[in-house]
Amino acid sequence: MAARKVLKMGDPLLYKRAEEVREFGTPELDALIRDMFDTMAALNGAGLAAPQIGVSQRVVIFEVQSNPRYPDAEAVPRTILINPVLELLGSEMEDGWEGCLSVPGLRGLVSRHKRLRYRGFDEKGKPIDRTVSDFHARVVQHECDHLDGILYPMRLKDIRLLGFEDALFPDL
Ligand code: NI
């Protein structure tokens, strides 16, 4: 297993709706997930969606411990989430700076729902059902957007809210 090449914004596969996973616990799925974790770790990502490594399936992973790319972010448990369904809770929105391994070097200020419930399955097909808020909720929304062909710059209210990391955060 190994870190794989991450597709960059502009690659048509990133704009496709990914397919549901139909079989759990297969060697192919396990290999995909291992490659996704290797890729995310190699690039210090907070999360990764399968389409970002060229596999158009509804699989996302995320994990935030202390992450140099997100120094102020709270921890998010290591999660494999397959065929996710999001239920946005309440109307409260929160702005936050996001980055994406498919949009290297840039950050954008994106408004996301503050609370949500997400359901789906782990790699063995065991159900996951969590209600989360804040950064955890942001990560889930960002990663699940990838499965519907949405990159965070498409969510910006104003293109001026997009910029290069070293210009926006010169002290990082
Ligand atoms: Ni992303």
Side-chain angles (χ1 to χ4, degrees):
M1 298 308 115
R4 304 249 296 254
K5 195 183 114 186
V6 175
L7 303 184
K8 287 187 198 158
M9 184 167 68
D11 190 300
L13 197 141
L14 291 173
Y15 305 111
K16 277 180 59 180
R17 186 185 186 277
E19 298 285 326
E20 267 79 17
V21 171
R22 311 232 172 257
E23 262 194 288
F24 295 90
T26 63
E28 293 77 17
L29 183 59
D30 288 344
L32 168 64
I33 289 164
R34 276 198 301 275
D35 280 0
M36 288 173 69
F37 273 108
D38 287 348
T39 305
M40 186 172 82
L43 298 169
N44 275 323
L48 191 72
Q52 292 182 274
I53 59 166
V55 178
S56 195
Q57 293 197 33
R58 303 185 81 76
V59 180
V60 303
I61 62 168
F62 47 86
E63 177 179 25
V64 183
Q65 295 175 331
S66 56
N67 186 322
R69 278 167 58 85
Y70 302 92
D72 300 325
E74 66 248 49
V76 179
R78 178 185 174 92
T79 302
I80 298 158
L81 181 63
I82 299 172
N83 298 346
V85 175
L86 272 52
E87 184 187 337
L88 304 169
L89 299 175
S91 56
E92 198 177 349
M93 306 295 286
E94 199 166 61
D95 288 344
W97 289 100
E98 295 187 14
C100 180
L101 297 176
S102 294
V103 192
L106 297 171
R107 294 285 179 96
L109 192 70
V110 182
S111 183
R112 299 280 189 188
H113 283 266
K114 188 176 165 66
R115 292 184 68 236
L116 62 85
R117 176 183 184 185
Y118 66 93
R119 282 172 281 187
F121 301 91
D122 74 6
E123 73 282 12
K124 303 290 184 213
K126 192 174 140 247
I128 294 171
D129 184 344
R130 292 179 183 153
T131 298
V132 301
S133 59
D134 301 300
F135 188 66
H136 190 156
R138 175 174 302 279
V139 169
V140 171
Q141 288 169 86
H142 176 115
E143 296 311 327
C144 292
D145 263 357
H146 278 295
L147 305 180
D148 293 328
I150 297 168
L151 300 174
Y152 81 79
M154 296 156 72
R155 297 247 183 233
L156 294 170
K157 284 175 285 194
D158 183 334
I159 194 66
R160 285 171 292 191
L161 300 174
L162 182 71
F164 287 94
E165 283 172 341
D166 54 357
L168 287 164
F169 308 108
D171 300 329
L172 271 192

